[in-house]
Amino acid sequence: MEKLDAKMADQFYSAILSLKTKEECSAFFDDICTIKELQDLMQRLQVASMLSKGMNYQEISKETSVSSATISRVNRCLNYGDGGYMTVLGRLEKNE
């Protein structure tokens, strides 16, 4: 897998952390992503949430129309990744 440029990644993550409201986040991501890229990111988070709640691939695919390959990739990240999904899902759950 190709490595991220550390300086560019630092700038990108700092930019995201500088956003203060949902409106600012929406404006930034609308500018930086295509509609398809944004939809894909949103779907992956939705799939991660569904997997963490114990839903199976077939249920998720039926409800979201996401491919089993994408579901598998998200599941792999949930189980063997760096914990990003779990951090976000845990914080979202606390805020509900």
Side-chain angles (χ1 to χ4, degrees):
M1 181 194 274
E2 190 176 326
K3 284 286 215 181
L4 293 175
D5 178 282
K7 187 175 179 181
M8 286 189 345
D10 185 62
Q11 181 186 33
F12 180 73
Y13 300 138
S14 292
I16 292 171
L17 290 170
S18 76
L19 301 168
K20 302 204 183 332
T21 65
K22 286 182 184 178
E23 291 78 15
E24 287 181 359
C25 284
S26 177
F28 177 72
F29 281 98
D30 284 347
D31 285 350
I32 203 164
C33 294
T34 65
I35 291 173
K36 177 69 172 131
E37 290 167 336
L38 202 47
Q39 287 173 334
D40 288 348
L41 292 170
M42 291 175 182
Q43 278 186 326
R44 289 179 193 153
L45 182 58
Q46 181 184 23
V47 167
S49 176
M50 296 167 101
L51 285 167
S52 73
K53 292 175 182 167
M55 292 181 72
N56 65 44
Y57 283 32
Q58 190 173 21
E59 293 169 321
I60 295 169
S61 184
K62 184 177 181 183
E63 190 169 323
T64 65
S65 300
V66 173
S67 71
S68 60
T70 297
I71 298 168
S72 177
R73 182 184 184 285
V74 171
N75 192 49
R76 190 169 49 254
C77 290
L78 275 172
N79 291 309
Y80 306 108
D82 292 330
Y85 278 124
M86 295 312 291
T87 297
V88 169
L89 292 173
R91 289 179 185 164
L92 288 173
E93 193 174 293
K94 281 183 186 176
N95 292 332
E96 288 180 357

